[in-house]
Amino acid sequence: MKFLHTSDWHLGRSFHRVNLLDAQAAFIDHLVATVREHEVDAVLVAGDVYDRAVPPLPAVALYDRALHRLADLGVPTVMISGNHDSARRLGVGAGLIGRAGIHLRTDPAGCADPVVLADVHGDVALYGLPYLEPALVKDDFGAGKVSHEAVLGAAMDRIRADLAGRAPGTRSVVLAHAFVTGGQASDSERDIAVGGVEAVPAGVFDGVDYVALGHLHGCQTINERVRYSGSPLAYSFSEADHRKTMWLVELGAQGEIVSAERVDNPVPRALARLRGPLEELLSGSAYARYEDCWLEATLTDPVRPEDPMARLAARFPHTLSLAFDPEGRTEDGGGSYAQRLKGRSDQEIAEDFVAHVRGCGFTDEAERAVLQGAFDDVRVDDGRQETHR
């Protein structure tokens, strides 16, 4: 059985003020064409269909067209909600839509209720495990503690129990949205840390034949059976070196991975990150190949040049981001606000603020735990309010 694994569409997202809806529509065209060309048996969409809980109407319209086109193909699609999605909104009409072959899995309680497909070798059970906010589902799953590992482990226990009750030889696929140990993050994923911990070991998913992951935006292989498809488009300059693809995975008669091939997605415009003095960037022949790229430029001039953005745009008309990092500057906490925050979690930023205000850092781990608990409470409260809207 052949699957096309994709995730993290983030419909409605822009890139440094550039509207990406046309590029996202081109990706949907490509997805449909790939399903036809490779005679795919099922499409797997591993969460973050939308970029935010209440998406803009053009993004909803694109999603609607995508569902109709996938349904028209007659190829089953299994789709889960991610941490950017509103699970309740995405799941509206799931029962009716399922009759058209589009199976939305947004309710954690239904994680052990698979979509069952069949080929000449028997059944394949496809389990959709939506993003699980630990504090909101811990009690429902009987998890021992509030952590991603605990709730995912409890959900997988339910899935393994259901699988054990099925006909011998039933093959299995799980869709999940999580940060699995060994994955490489980028700047465009939303932090899902709980108690300072966000990653779960790949062993949580033991016992199934293939795990189609979403959340991380780079296509990557955790192991032969556990893979991230990555996002179809780049959503931050940290993804400039990513090759944006989908996984075309063929599952054999005994559940073995017969093949796993990366199918390249269309690239609306290449990304580039350049660094150096302004005059060098403007005159250097080596930079000519970046003139049509979406560009992030970091200027290293000791003194900030006059009107740098307009001058850069004269040669690089698609310059979207400009930063300053003068060479030779001593480390004094300088640089732009964005530069100083880059790569730092909310917890780390808050700890820096506390240290700045009172002139020293945290005196013990209990203080740090209180702050982390506050961040966890806010995120859980946001999720709870979304659930009850």
Side-chain angles (χ1 to χ4, degrees):
M1 190 169 287
K2 195 178 295 183
F3 305 103
L4 188 63
H5 166 199
T6 176
S7 73
D8 295 273
W9 294 358
H10 288 278
L11 300 181
R13 187 164 185 157
S14 60
F15 183 76
H16 290 267
R17 305 177 306 281
V18 175
N19 188 317
L20 291 178
L21 203 64
D22 286 345
Q24 291 172 333
F27 163 70
I28 298 298
D29 291 343
H30 171 66
L31 172 70
V32 170
T34 302
V35 171
R36 286 199 190 101
E37 178 185 350
H38 293 276
E39 299 181 338
V40 169
D41 296 302
V43 177
L44 314 177
V45 186
D48 281 354
V49 177
Y50 289 122
D51 188 56
R52 55 183 186 266
V54 184
L57 289 177
V60 177
L62 177 57
Y63 169 73
D64 181 62
R65 292 197 300 273
L67 293 193
H68 277 85
R69 295 179 69 184
L70 287 169
D72 288 344
L73 290 173
V75 175
T77 296
V78 182
M79 182 179 292
I80 64 173
S81 50
N83 61 304
H84 278 248
D85 298 309
S86 165
R88 291 192 67 186
R89 288 185 175 88
L90 190 67
V92 168
L96 287 173
I97 296 171
R99 297 178 189 177
I102 308 294
H103 305 280
L104 301 177
R105 293 294 187 262
T106 63
D107 183 356
C111 68
D113 178 21
V115 176
V116 180
L117 306 180
D119 62 11
V120 294
H121 304 295
D123 288 347
V124 179
L126 282 71
Y127 298 90
L129 186 53
Y131 172 70
L132 303 177
E133 177 56 58
L136 294 181
V137 301
K138 169 184 172 290
D139 293 339
D140 293 338
F141 280 98
K145 59 181 180 178
V146 179
S147 74
H148 288 290
E149 182 175 356
V151 297
L152 278 168
M156 284 301 303
D157 286 343
R158 291 188 181 186
I159 288 172
R160 283 185 283 262
D162 178 84
L163 189 59
R166 295 186 176 275
T170 298
R171 292 157 290 165
S172 55
V173 174
V174 167
L175 289 77
H177 197 86
F179 191 164
V180 175
T181 303
Q184 297 297 312
S186 59
D187 291 344
S188 51
E189 296 113 7
R190 183 180 295 165
D191 183 21
I192 59 171
V194 173
V197 179
E198 58 185 349
V200 299
V204 165
F205 300 104
D206 284 352
V208 296
D209 296 314
Y210 183 71
V211 181
L213 292 175
H215 180 57
L216 299 185
H217 288 183
C219 181
Q220 47 203 296
T221 301
I222 303 300
N223 60 50
E224 183 189 25
R225 297 183 180 275
V226 181
R227 300 172 187 264
Y228 282 99
S229 67
S231 59
L233 302 170
Y235 292 121
S236 72
F237 277 104
S238 66
E239 301 169 54
D241 294 330
H242 286 189
R243 175 187 165 199
K244 295 300 184 181
T245 61
M246 299 178 285
W247 282 112
L248 185 64
V249 177
E250 187 171 355
L251 202 62
Q254 306 302 317
E256 74 275 18
I257 305 297
V258 175
S259 63
E261 174 190 349
R262 294 178 67 179
V263 179
D264 288 291
N265 294 328
V267 179
R269 191 179 299 277
L271 273 59
R273 309 175 91 173
L274 300 184
R275 178 185 177 89
L278 177 60
E279 291 303 328
E280 178 182 320
L281 298 184
L282 294 177
S283 60
S285 59
Y287 302 119
R289 59 195 177 107
Y290 303 114
E291 290 175 357
D292 196 43
C293 294
W294 278 326
L295 182 68
E296 177 189 72
T298 300
L299 301 184
T300 60
D301 302 80
V303 177
R304 185 176 299 220
E306 182 179 353
D307 205 11
M309 191 65 166
R311 293 167 67 188
L312 275 169
R315 182 177 190 183
F316 307 101
H318 305 290
T319 303
L320 300 180
S321 177
L322 177 61
F324 299 92
D325 185 19
E327 286 186 350
R329 181 185 63 194
T330 57
E331 189 58 44
D332 58 359
S336 70
Y337 184 67
Q339 284 177 299
R340 284 181 276 133
L341 298 188
K342 188 173 184 179
R344 302 184 67 74
S345 68
D346 291 343
Q347 172 88 9
E348 291 170 327
I349 293 167
E351 288 183 17
D352 288 347
F353 174 75
V354 172
H356 171 73
V357 169
R358 71 182 186 186
C360 65
F362 284 85
T363 57
D364 57 46
E365 287 303 312
E367 287 187 326
R368 183 171 282 108
V370 169
L371 182 61
Q372 181 63 58
F375 278 113
D376 291 347
D377 289 345
V378 169
R379 189 187 62 255
V380 170
D381 187 59
D382 286 345
R384 186 175 289 113
Q385 288 186 40
E386 176 61 38
T387 299
H388 290 91
R389 281 174 186 162

